Amino acid sequence: MARVFAGLGARPAIGCDAFAAGCDAFAAGRPLPGMAILDLESGPPVEVVRGALAGAELVALAHARAVDGLIPALTAGCSDYLFFPVHAEEARLLWVRHRAGGPPPVLPLEASIEGRFRLELPSDARCLRAAVDYIVATSARAAELRPEGAFRFRVALSEAVSNAILYGNREDPCRRVRLVGRVEPGVVRVTVMDEGRGFNPASVPDPAAAENLDRPSGRGLLLMRRMADEVRHGGRGSEVTLEVRAHAPTA
Amino acid sequence: MSFSIDLIGGVTVLELPRELTLGNREALKRVFHERLDAGDRRFVLDFARTGFVDSSGLGVLVGLSKTVRERRGELRLAGLNEELRTMFGLTQLDTLFQISDSRATAVGEL
């Protein structure tokens, strides 16, 4: 069954090569080189750990209430992140990725959820989750979206960004995905831009039609349109603007 | 171990992680095909812990459903929360999949 690293939150920074030996060994906190988990809530600043553990990959451990620190930690040198409590599968995948080829590119971005945000990502699917989690967690609060609205925003934004990375930029490391957003009470708007050739949204077959139900792809646009309150395509298909509004609670 | 697997009365139950997305869809495919190759034919995918699925995750589920049918097996989904049920409804995938409220119900129905 699933195992959770219950003791992880108490440790400010520990080595975790013990992933390789199994999750229980990691919970015991064997100090090993190569990777360090940095607790964003109770741990020392990223810069301090980076200085003390030169050459080690730093991974941020974020708590739901400390999500504001996630993007600064990623820009300060953490290459990836986990949410507390850490599930064994997420930890294992992180370890596999670490062993296979080192850290993904650090997110180059500037983000300020004080009305507006601007963010630039490499065309690397591994950056998707961190970027979407951060934008949704912070802007949903500022826009006063309830959990239902935050879920719709998360689905629509994930689809827009993954389309930009996979189909717009074709995962070309030289191309960027740019996000520009604006948050105000009751509404969040974000434009996602890629550097691809664009596409004609009308040419995408309806994935909900009976003859297309068995097709493994093509549902991203449909989810965007159903989850966001407004979807506008521009730039000959290389940019999309999503608007998600807070809906009144149903009685 | 990639995904938690339980064998209950001849039914293979895979517990999915918190998210099923572009990032881990290949892991699910791999585990599922390992069980198929080992001879398992009755499957339940348990979403009780899953809060988020993207279109890549839905695509993998569609692919697995097709493969199971081709191998004369059965697949049920269980434990979807209200938001995921909405997502399956919007995409009409609730007509493609058999969906049960809980893993126990799903196992009983296979």
Side-chain angles (χ1 to χ4, degrees), chain A residues 1-2 85 87 89-90 92 125 129 151 154-155 158-159 166 208 213-214 216 219-220 222-223 226-227, chain B residues 1-2 4 6 18-19 22 30 49 51-52 54-55 58-59 62 69 83 87 90-93 95-96:
Chain A
M1 291 304 292
H87 188 263
E89 173 61 8
E90 288 173 289
R92 192 193 69 82
R129 201 179 120 208
F151 178 80
R154 189 167 185 224
V155 172
S158 292
E159 299 301 338
L166 295 179
L213 276 186
D214 251 357
R219 293 180 180 81
L222 173 75
L223 287 175
R226 298 292 176 89
M227 293 292 180
Chain B
M1 188 208 65
S2 292
S4 299
D6 287 315
R18 281 197 296 223
E19 300 185 348
L22 189 62
R30 193 181 62 242
R49 216 161 47 80
F52 186 73
D54 69 4
S55 61
L58 292 176
V62 168
R69 284 201 307 274
E83 287 158 338
M87 191 181 262
L90 291 175
T91 50
Q92 299 287 315
L93 289 180
T95 63
L96 186 72

Side-chain angles (χ1 to χ4, degrees), chain A residues 7-228:
Chain A
L8 190 56
R11 296 185 173 85
I14 56 176
C16 55
D17 286 48
F19 277 142
C23 308
D24 295 329
F26 174 54
R30 270 167 45 196
L32 290 164
M35 185 190 278
I37 305 289
L38 176 63
D39 189 324
L40 296 182
E41 195 168 71
S42 60
V46 177
E47 294 77 6
V48 172
V49 179
R50 196 173 55 188
L53 298 172
E57 181 181 355
L58 301 185
V59 174
L61 176 68
H63 297 249
R65 58 185 174 275
V67 72
D68 291 353
L70 187 55
I71 293 295
L74 289 166
T75 55
C78 287
S79 61
D80 208 337
Y81 73 101
L82 294 165
F83 264 109
F84 183 85
V86 181
H87 188 263
E89 173 61 8
E90 288 173 289
R92 192 193 69 82
L93 289 172
L94 177 73
W95 178 250
V96 168
R97 195 266 302 144
H98 172 75
R99 293 290 296 265
V106 171
L107 296 170
L109 53 85
E110 49 176 283
S112 158
I113 307 289
E114 288 174 357
R116 291 170 191 272
F117 60 90
R118 177 183 296 276
L119 193 145
E120 187 176 309
L121 304 174
S123 297
D124 187 321
R126 292 172 298 187
C127 294
L128 179 103
R129 201 179 120 208
V132 170
D133 281 356
Y134 176 74
I135 291 174
V136 173
T138 46
S139 61
R141 193 170 49 213
E144 300 164 13
L145 301 181
R146 295 179 306 109
E148 175 274 335
F151 178 80
R152 290 189 292 111
F153 184 38
R154 189 167 185 224
V155 172
L157 184 61
S158 292
E159 299 301 338
V161 178
S162 61
N163 276 354
I165 292 174
L166 295 179
Y167 304 115
N169 288 349
R170 299 185 182 275
E171 298 187 82
D172 179 346
C174 300
R175 294 176 173 179
R176 298 291 194 189
V177 175
R178 292 178 178 79
L179 291 88
V180 180
R182 182 169 184 170
V183 185
E184 49 195 83
V187 62
V188 55
R189 282 181 208 92
V190 57
T191 299
V192 180
M193 293 162 275
D194 63 54
E195 297 177 0
R197 297 167 58 184
F199 76 111
N200 177 9
S203 68
V204 178
D206 176 9
E211 67 273 21
N212 295 329
L213 276 186
D214 251 357
R215 293 168 73 131
S217 61
R219 293 180 180 81
L221 272 183
L222 173 75
L223 287 175
M224 248 188 271
R225 288 170 181 155
R226 298 292 176 89
M227 293 292 180

Side-chain angles (χ1 to χ4, degrees), chain B residues 18-67:
Chain B
R18 281 197 296 223
E19 300 185 348
L20 179 60
T21 63
L22 189 62
N24 61 0
R25 60 178 176 168
E26 291 302 325
L28 173 61
K29 264 166 81 172
R30 193 181 62 242
V31 171
F32 199 94
H33 280 270
E34 280 171 8
R35 300 311 311 172
L36 265 176
D37 292 343
D40 297 6
R41 287 296 178 269
R42 291 191 292 159
F43 293 90
V44 170
L45 296 180
D46 185 0
F47 286 75
R49 216 161 47 80
T50 308
F52 186 73
V53 178
D54 69 4
S55 61
S56 298
L58 292 176
V60 166
L61 296 174
V62 168
L64 296 181
S65 147
K66 201 171 171 181
T67 306

